[in-house]
Amino acid sequence: MHCEKKGVNIMSIKNRANAVWCIANTPVCAGSGEGDFRADCNIQRNDDFPKIDAGTFKGSLLYKMDGKLKKIIQNKSPEQAKLSFSDLRLLFFSVQSSHGIYRLLTSVNCLEQFFLEISWNEYECDDVSQELKGLKRRVVDGVICQWSHHDDTEWIGGYKLQAVNYKDNVIKDLLRKLGLSQTVIKHIGIVSDKDFRYFTRYHTEIITRNRLENQALFTEEYLPEGSILYGFICEFKDLVRPVKAPVLPQISRWIETNEKEGKVYQIGRNLNTGKGSVTISEMKREEVKNGKPLCRSKSS
């Protein structure tokens, strides 16, 4: 929302927002420009949790576009509504597991934040408060709550966690509301916020490379393959100069077409070594109930 300096005249208001998934097909290095004791080039983070900056997200879409849609995203067309892109925030983090090769870890706080942001962006969600309360009671430090298990313990990234199986449909209903496929859901594991912070900090991929010009070694940090992030594309309408037509549906159709054609996007560095390939898809509004959907937009 933008206001003039001399008063409170509101120039624009948010008209609509669409939520998107971003799935890492290969390891992704969206660099922060900084390094630490683990790597010379660290990935972007927010409060220790990996993220992809809004500008990087927007740039990956621009790279695939041309013509009119590109001008819309760049806000170069005065008669069009303006678009705003959020950061892509981590929801599921891929870690090696003794069950099923890998586990998609998340935490209760991440799930709470996810549904909160959905409601902020004018999506109408089913009430998940009881499910989240149930999660908080079950998930403590050193425990992983999962879809199914065969043993009392599970090794995650070399660390031993106590495995807790779902005993009712409460948590299953919560995961189905995320709109994810059964293949993805069976790999999800919910850990405490403390454990999740540890894994996302110390279980990213560190790759050592060699600079060709001086043969010096350097290291890069990567978000592991299979990790899942989410974000929003918001549309703003001008109250002073009415626009001809909303632009968000055009972006939605373009993303949907790319998804059907199996196109992928490039985020971060090292395309020539097969890194940074992601799939971006929208959370469909019509798919909101009975396991497929996530939420329904009030503006639809």
Side-chain angles (χ1 to χ4, degrees):
M1 186 175 293
H2 173 73
C3 298
E4 291 183 347
K5 292 182 179 179
K6 294 183 179 179
V8 293
N9 295 328
I10 299 176
M11 300 301 294
S12 61
I13 61 173
K14 186 166 68 176
N15 183 32
R16 194 175 178 185
N18 282 359
V20 297
W21 292 117
C22 177
I23 302 176
N25 301 321
T26 62
V28 176
C29 179
S32 64
E34 299 178 350
D36 60 12
F37 68 96
R38 299 187 67 238
D40 296 313
C41 178
N42 291 134
I43 59 176
Q44 298 165 0
R45 292 180 179 273
N46 180 24
D47 190 26
D48 274 347
F49 297 123
K51 70 161 187 173
I52 294 175
D53 187 75
T56 306
F57 171 35
K58 177 180 178 180
S60 69
L61 297 181
L62 278 173
Y63 184 77
K64 286 284 186 180
M65 288 182 175
D66 54 18
K68 184 178 178 181
L69 274 181
K70 195 166 189 176
K71 290 182 179 180
I72 290 174
I73 287 193
Q74 292 175 325
N75 291 334
K76 290 184 177 181
S77 181
E79 70 275 6
Q80 299 285 359
K82 306 302 181 182
L83 292 178
S84 174
F85 295 80
S86 75
D87 293 341
L88 294 175
R89 298 173 178 83
L90 181 69
L91 186 59
F92 298 111
F93 183 74
S94 180
V95 186
Q96 289 182 341
S97 169
S98 58
H99 294 159
I101 303 178
Y102 71 96
R103 182 69 69 183
L104 293 173
L105 296 184
T106 189
S107 72
V108 179
N109 269 358
C110 282
L111 293 173
E112 283 183 323
Q113 183 66 23
F114 172 74
F115 284 106
L116 181 60
E117 290 190 40
I118 284 288
S119 64
W120 281 349
N121 286 276
E122 299 183 356
Y123 275 74
E124 183 179 340
C125 292
D126 296 332
D127 184 15
V128 295
S129 58
Q130 295 303 316
E131 287 89 336
L132 291 173
K133 288 181 181 178
L135 277 173
K136 287 183 177 180
R137 289 193 298 267
R138 300 179 187 187
V139 180
V140 296
D141 293 347
V143 169
I144 178 170
C145 195
Q146 56 186 3
W147 191 256
S148 62
H149 73 279
H150 305 286
D151 305 313
D152 293 332
T153 59
E154 180 175 355
W155 291 86
I156 301 291
Y159 287 82
K160 183 178 178 182
L161 298 179
Q162 179 184 351
V164 176
N165 194 18
Y166 302 142
K167 297 181 179 180
D168 51 45
N169 292 325
V170 173
I171 300 177
K172 291 183 180 181
D173 291 342
L174 172 61
L175 298 178
R176 288 194 178 102
K177 287 171 185 174
L178 297 177
L180 300 175
S181 68
Q182 183 66 25
T183 303
V184 171
I185 288 176
K186 73 178 182 180
H187 287 288
I188 291 175
I190 305 168
V191 296
S192 70
D193 298 320
K194 179 180 178 181
D195 288 343
F196 187 64
R197 186 180 297 273
Y198 168 79
F199 282 113
T200 56
R201 183 62 183 171
Y202 296 105
H203 285 265
T204 52
E205 296 185 19
I206 305 296
I207 297 178
T208 302
R209 304 188 65 201
N210 191 1
R211 286 191 176 91
L212 296 179
E213 60 272 15
N214 56 13
Q215 302 299 309
L217 296 177
F218 68 99
T219 52
E220 296 175 324
E221 183 182 25
Y222 287 82
L223 183 68
E225 175 182 344
S227 298
I228 301 176
L229 305 94
Y230 69 95
F232 301 92
I233 304 176
C234 305
E235 180 183 75
F236 290 80
K237 60 182 179 180
D238 199 318
L239 298 182
V240 177
R241 295 178 301 175
V243 297
K244 292 182 179 180
V247 297
L248 195 56
Q250 299 177 55
I251 304 298
S252 299
R253 288 192 294 269
W254 180 78
I255 292 176
E256 183 178 3
T257 299
N258 285 349
E259 182 183 3
K260 290 180 179 178
E261 295 177 356
K263 293 182 179 180
V264 296
Y265 303 80
Q266 174 67 26
I267 289 183
R269 55 202 295 167
N270 296 329
L271 172 64
N272 59 340
T273 57
K275 302 297 191 296
S277 172
V278 302
T279 297
I280 295 177
S281 60
E282 277 200 342
M283 302 178 192
K284 305 299 182 183
R285 294 187 184 87
E286 61 271 19
E287 298 177 356
V288 179
K289 298 190 182 293
N290 301 324
K292 293 183 180 179
L294 172 60
C295 42
R296 189 181 301 277
S297 173
K298 295 177 182 178
S299 58
S300 61

